[in-house]
Amino acid sequence: MKPKVPNNSGRIATPDTQATWSANILSYVTDFSTAWNRFWFTPTFPHTLGVLRIATGAMLFYMHMVWGSDLLSFLGPDAWLTGDVIRLIHQGDYTWSYLNYIDSPPLLWAHHALMLMVALCFAVGFGTRITAPLAWFLNLMYCHRLTGHLFGLDQVMMLLLMYLMLAPCGSVYSVDAWLQRKRKRAGKSPSWWLPDATPSSATQVATRLMQLHLCVIYLFGGISKLRGEMWWDGSALWYALVNWEYQSIDAVWLGHYPTLLGALAHITIFWETFYCATVWPRFSRPWTLALAIAVHGGIAIGLGMITFGLMMIVVNLSFISPITMRAIVAKITRRPASE
Amino acid sequence: MAKDRNTAKTPNQHEAPVASNELAPPASASPWSSKWRLILSIAVTVHMVAVFAEPFRFFTRSSQRSFSPDAGYIRSWLSAYIDFAYLHHGYFFFAPNPGPSHLISAQIGKVTPPNQPKEILIPDKTVQWPRLYYHRHFMLSEFLHNSFAPPEQPAEAINDPVIDQQWRRDRELYVAVKSSIENHFRISEKSEAVIVRRIEHALPNDIQVYRDKWKLNDPRLYIVLPESLAEQTPTLVNPPLAPVGSPVPLPMRNDSGAEVVEGGSP
């Protein structure tokens, strides 16, 4: 007869049941580990991130052209907010930029020219092993210096730059890829400076971080609206439409359809709050992404934030498989997918 | 026959959109060692906690507390990383409610009849172009408003050194921000006489727009905000900008009768 051992629940456990529990726990840990590794480290093709790199680089270049159109008003010795004031604002935190200490206009212009050059190189995919982290770092320094002028666009740009630099995003649709092919045709060995367009775990890690970060943004964007009564009584979109400072298209006539405005407000809060759940299953993902395009497209066109709306759509593209993205690009450019 | 979801496929196959891990080679193909994967797992976990920590802390604010202690603990543990990596955002887009806009009005030059001083409004769609350039100025005017701290010490600060210290810091920052903006106007407009005011552009309700035919930029919707608690309540702006004082302001209420509250902007 087998000895009986009392367990915490008061029931009698035999060594057999203990062994089953141990096996179950071990099985859970093994399954969790396998799922974790598959989620984070499955090597993935870089084509989606290649497209995101072009969009992000182009927007980065445009953003800095706009800063440059009145550079000294934003960064100069008599800027709207001087370096001294920014240092005071960030006293005691870790938001630091060397730009807080630069007052010399020639130096600021030289630095800005470097920023524009890096953004352009990043967009066309030239020297991305260097230009990707450099684009992130330089833009970070601008963000820390330009407190008071920033909004959602800057947040999403920093998100994209931070994760794109972790992956070989310059290995496709880029000058680097063209140079790599040229080297191979000439019979030379591949260079580390020119990343290969092969599946990599780095691409997967960057993609997952981007996707999860986006889920956090939408989760808090959604639940923060749950606190507001206007999102529930259906008047929120009316007050967004009649905001003269945001308005870029006169859509005040929509106020004649309060049922429609109420429904749109409710769709927005449910979509935003549950995005982090509905974007993962294969069957709900297309609907979730379609709503993202509709919402951000509306913000871009109606509320005058074309840049912000566009980049939010871009970051949503991180949920498109690289295989699909490659096929779409091949179809649009009418070039073989192998190029 | 069911397909293996992790089987690698050739890149030129046309597929419906699916998550990136579903069409790539299996996990065993990862070239990274288990030790390296463990280190990276810890790194991505810490990073995601950092991404979550700031909006979480921001969300736990209430009228009673600046934030919940647990949220503050997580945030403080990762402060250096969160601040430097530019992760310190609440993501309250148009939340909790869409609110009024805040503008900057600058009066340049002195009132010397018959000459009127020049008035500049920031942001201004007719002057600032392209739209992103306009939006940078719009954010500046919102930033000035959000920085506001009255010159009077709050009653709670008298017996509470923490509140007192916070008020002094907030006030110092507001004065510094406003002075910097005034100084910019002095240089760019080449005038020593500059007065900067904060303006609130209230949102009209549907009755005002449809029945009373107000335009969205109707002068009655612009209110000069007081710079101190001793001043009058907000006053209407009737172009040209009226001095802080006389007319009775319109109540800033939405169509449900509730006061319009400030909303976050993207």
Side-chain angles (χ1 to χ4, degrees):
Chain A
M1 189 176 162
K2 290 171 183 171
K4 292 180 178 176
V5 183
N7 64 10
N8 289 341
S9 63
R11 292 180 194 153
I12 302 299
T14 65
D16 279 353
T17 52
Q18 280 183 329
T20 309
W21 271 99
S22 306
N24 283 342
I25 291 168
L26 189 66
S27 168
Y28 172 81
V29 171
T30 309
D31 287 352
F32 180 85
S33 168
T34 306
W36 176 275
N37 281 325
R38 193 172 60 223
F39 182 84
W40 284 105
F41 304 117
T42 303
T44 308
F45 288 105
H47 298 78
T48 298
L49 297 191
V51 170
L52 264 59
R53 187 208 75 240
I54 294 171
T56 306
M59 183 58 75
L60 189 68
F61 184 76
Y62 174 70
M63 268 172 59
H64 285 279
M65 286 293 284
V66 171
W67 287 126
S69 68
D70 196 7
L71 189 70
L72 297 183
S73 286
F74 293 114
L75 295 173
D78 303 307
W80 289 109
L81 300 174
T82 61
D84 291 343
V85 172
I86 298 297
R87 285 205 299 273
L88 187 67
I89 291 168
H90 292 303
Q91 205 173 46
D93 67 25
Y94 299 90
T95 307
W96 176 88
S97 170
Y98 54 76
L99 290 170
N100 293 342
Y101 301 88
I102 300 177
D103 272 347
S104 156
L107 202 55
L108 286 169
W109 276 113
H111 181 270
H112 200 67
L114 173 71
M115 176 75 247
L116 286 170
M117 199 176 72
V118 167
L120 196 59
C121 288
F122 181 64
V124 300
F126 179 63
T128 46
R129 294 274 196 201
I130 296 294
T131 53
L134 204 54
W136 168 79
F137 180 74
L138 290 176
N139 197 54
L140 181 71
M141 292 296 104
Y142 275 88
C143 283
H144 287 180
R145 168 65 183 87
L146 289 163
T147 297
H149 296 284
L150 308 177
F151 64 110
L153 171 67
D154 303 282
Q155 297 169 18
V156 72
M157 285 298 289
M158 283 311 303
L159 178 159
L160 283 159
L161 289 167
M162 178 189 278
Y163 301 133
L164 284 173
M165 74 171 171
L166 303 178
C169 61
S171 59
V172 287
Y173 314 133
S174 63
V175 174
D176 281 355
W178 176 73
L179 291 172
Q180 185 75 298
R181 281 198 299 272
K182 212 171 155 189
R183 274 183 78 88
K184 282 182 181 168
R185 276 200 292 269
K188 293 179 182 171
S189 57
S191 165
W192 180 86
W193 294 101
L194 304 170
D196 252 334
T198 50
S200 73
S201 295
T203 302
Q204 179 77 339
V205 170
T207 306
R208 290 309 192 196
L209 285 170
M210 206 177 280
Q211 293 169 337
L212 287 171
H213 197 147
L214 189 61
C215 286
V216 171
I217 290 176
Y218 282 132
L219 176 65
F220 282 99
I223 61 175
S224 62
K225 290 180 178 65
L226 301 184
R227 282 183 166 184
E229 60 177 23
M230 290 185 193
W231 287 98
W232 288 113
D233 72 13
S235 62
L237 288 193
W238 164 262
Y239 286 104
L241 292 175
V242 296
N243 190 312
W244 170 253
E245 277 71 35
Y246 277 109
Q247 190 190 70
S248 49
I249 285 182
D250 186 355
V252 174
W253 56 272
L254 277 170
H256 289 297
Y257 305 96
T259 309
L260 175 67
L261 286 183
L264 290 175
H266 294 143
I267 288 170
T268 302
I269 48 175
F270 282 112
W271 161 76
E272 207 169 358
T273 306
F274 294 112
Y275 179 98
C276 57
T278 57
V279 77
W280 299 101
R282 191 175 160 214
F283 294 105
S284 54
R285 189 180 311 131
W287 299 100
T288 308
L289 295 182
L291 273 172
I293 291 170
V295 169
H296 294 300
I299 290 172
I301 296 166
L303 297 181
M305 287 182 285
I306 298 168
T307 47
F308 173 65
L310 198 61
M311 292 318 291
M312 285 305 288
I313 291 172
V314 166
V315 74
N316 268 282
L317 297 182
S318 65
F319 279 97
I320 303 288
S321 139
I323 314 294
T324 307
M325 187 62 85
R326 185 167 171 162
I328 293 169
V329 172
K331 200 165 187 177
I332 292 170
T333 57
R334 295 179 182 177
R335 293 165 73 97
S338 56
E339 281 188 23
Chain B
M1 190 177 139
K3 284 184 180 178
D4 180 358
R5 285 157 62 91
N6 292 320
T7 304
K9 297 179 182 177
T10 50
N12 52 1
Q13 280 182 277
H14 290 249
E15 296 283 344
V18 290
S20 55
N21 68 329
E22 292 177 9
L23 291 169
S28 58
S30 176
W32 294 347
S33 69
S34 53
K35 187 179 162 189
W36 184 227
R37 287 204 300 262
L38 178 67
I39 293 168
L40 276 170
S41 294
I42 294 167
V44 295
T45 304
V46 171
H47 175 77
M48 285 315 301
V49 170
V51 167
F52 188 86
E54 177 69 359
F56 178 53
R57 185 182 72 144
F58 196 73
F59 194 74
T60 64
R61 293 185 310 172
S62 75
S63 54
Q64 303 296 319
R65 281 179 161 172
S66 51
F67 48 81
S68 167
D70 62 319
Y73 178 77
I74 298 170
R75 171 64 167 82
S76 64
W77 183 57
L78 292 165
S79 273
Y81 182 64
I82 291 169
D83 288 343
F84 189 74
Y86 197 63
L87 298 173
H88 47 292
H89 313 295
Y91 306 123
F92 272 38
F93 301 142
F94 287 103
N97 289 307
S101 301
H102 297 96
L103 320 174
I104 293 173
S105 157
Q107 181 183 297
I108 313 291
K110 289 177 182 165
V111 184
T112 49
N115 299 324
Q116 286 293 322
K118 183 179 174 185
E119 293 286 353
I120 297 175
L121 202 61
I122 297 230
D124 186 345
K125 287 179 194 175
T126 60
V127 176
Q128 288 140 6
W129 186 92
R131 186 75 184 200
L132 180 56
Y133 181 70
Y134 162 85
H135 216 78
R136 297 297 186 195
H137 289 81
F138 185 17
M139 292 302 102
L140 177 70
S141 61
E142 289 285 1
F143 184 75
L144 176 69
H145 173 73
N146 290 331
S147 307
F148 176 71
E152 297 90 352
Q153 186 190 35
E156 315 89 73
I158 295 169
N159 296 320
D160 190 332
V162 176
I163 297 177
D164 183 59
Q165 195 181 2
Q166 186 61 49
W167 165 73
R168 285 177 196 281
R169 161 125 178 101
D170 291 348
R171 181 66 193 166
E172 183 190 13
L173 283 183
Y174 175 68
V175 170
V177 168
K178 194 177 174 204
S179 302
S180 187
I181 292 170
E182 283 170 342
N183 187 56
H184 181 81
F185 277 120
R186 277 190 206 101
I187 304 290
S188 60
E189 297 298 322
K190 299 180 178 63
S191 172
E192 278 304 305
V194 172
I195 298 173
V196 164
R197 292 169 177 157
R198 292 177 301 120
I199 308 291
E200 186 162 278
H201 184 177
L203 302 175
N205 60 37
D206 51 355
I207 295 170
Q208 289 165 327
V209 172
Y210 292 140
R211 191 192 67 190
D212 302 339
K213 307 291 180 197
W214 286 24
K215 291 189 172 178
L216 301 186
N217 58 348
D218 190 293
R220 287 169 286 186
L221 294 167
Y222 291 83
I223 296 158
V224 182
L225 294 175
E227 283 298 295
S228 84
L229 301 176
E231 282 183 53
Q232 287 280 330
T233 46
T235 55
L236 280 173
V237 177
N238 286 308
L241 288 165
V244 177
S246 44
V248 179
L250 280 177
M252 280 173 41
R253 294 181 183 280
N254 62 27
D255 51 1
S256 61
E259 265 193 52
V260 175
V261 294
E262 183 185 341
S265 63

